[in-house]
Amino acid sequence: MTTDAPTPFSASATSTPDGFTAAECPGMVGDRRVILKLDVPEEFESESTAPSDQTPDGQCTWHTSEDRFFSVEIGEKESLADLNDELKEYEDIGGDDEVKDVTYDSPADAFGDLAGERLSWWSYSDGMPADCVHVQADGIRVFWQNPDDIDQRLDDLDVVLDSIELIHS
């Protein structure tokens, strides 16, 4: 599900729960400034909170000391169905770059009241096995990655997704 420009939407959660902190991710879509608001688990530290040269529309990333990671991209146009097809090429190949358990759902609950896409898989890349989840709707993509020897804490991901709100500035 792609879009040319994300449309503002409200979060389905109305307050920041204990163990989370409110954050913002600024971006540009075309010539329009947008701000994505979300709640981030407190153990995650911000890697970036501004658009970069590699992601002109906007990307913000957070990580923990135990290599848990998530990012938000604003203005994503590629469908997760395309990424699903790419991942299937590496499914069960063995060794580096192998993926397993690729699951794609559409429509799926995304954020706010938006339906979107959800893609999850297990990955072995550069010697690091990880569980991965992408959720996308209205040009907003969230990527959640977790080393596979650590509890994935999908409840935390659900809180993040419920808190996402996009506003134009």
Side-chain angles (χ1 to χ4, degrees):
M1 302 203 164
T2 60
T3 184
D4 289 330
T7 305
F9 59 87
S10 298
S12 55
T14 57
S15 63
T16 302
D18 289 341
F20 288 77
T21 186
E24 291 186 352
C25 180
M28 293 291 292
V29 178
D31 61 351
R32 182 167 224 162
R33 295 186 63 177
V34 296
I35 298 173
L36 191 90
K37 294 183 175 189
L38 69 158
D39 294 333
V40 175
E42 287 179 346
E43 66 269 21
F44 281 79
E45 296 178 20
S46 176
E47 274 185 24
S48 64
T49 56
S52 70
D53 291 337
Q54 292 80 31
T55 57
D57 293 332
Q59 178 176 1
C60 299
T61 57
W62 294 266
H63 70 279
T64 69
S65 60
E66 56 196 8
D67 294 323
R68 294 175 67 214
F69 170 88
F70 85 94
S71 67
V72 177
E73 293 180 60
I74 302 169
E76 179 58 49
K77 293 183 174 90
E78 180 183 16
S79 169
L80 289 180
D82 296 335
L83 181 56
N84 179 51
D85 293 343
E86 290 173 32
L87 288 172
K88 293 284 187 181
E89 294 176 25
Y90 296 95
E91 197 164 23
D92 298 321
I93 63 170
D96 206 29
D97 296 331
E98 177 182 29
V99 298
K100 292 183 179 182
D101 304 323
V102 179
T103 305
Y104 173 75
D105 293 308
S106 179
D109 290 337
F111 15 83
D113 292 328
L114 299 177
E117 302 170 281
R118 186 177 185 117
L119 178 62
S120 61
W121 70 97
W122 176 90
S123 171
Y124 187 81
S125 180
D126 297 328
M128 185 178 135
D131 296 307
C132 304
V133 178
H134 273 288
V135 178
Q136 180 171 310
D138 196 32
I140 308 298
R141 180 181 288 183
V142 175
F143 175 58
W144 185 266
Q145 180 175 298
N146 207 81
D148 78 349
D149 60 344
I150 297 173
D151 180 27
Q152 193 169 11
R153 299 186 49 191
L154 292 176
D155 291 346
D156 285 354
L157 174 59
D158 289 341
V159 170
V160 170
L161 296 175
D162 288 345
S163 73
I164 291 176
E165 174 179 12
L166 183 73
I167 59 174
H168 285 179
S169 58

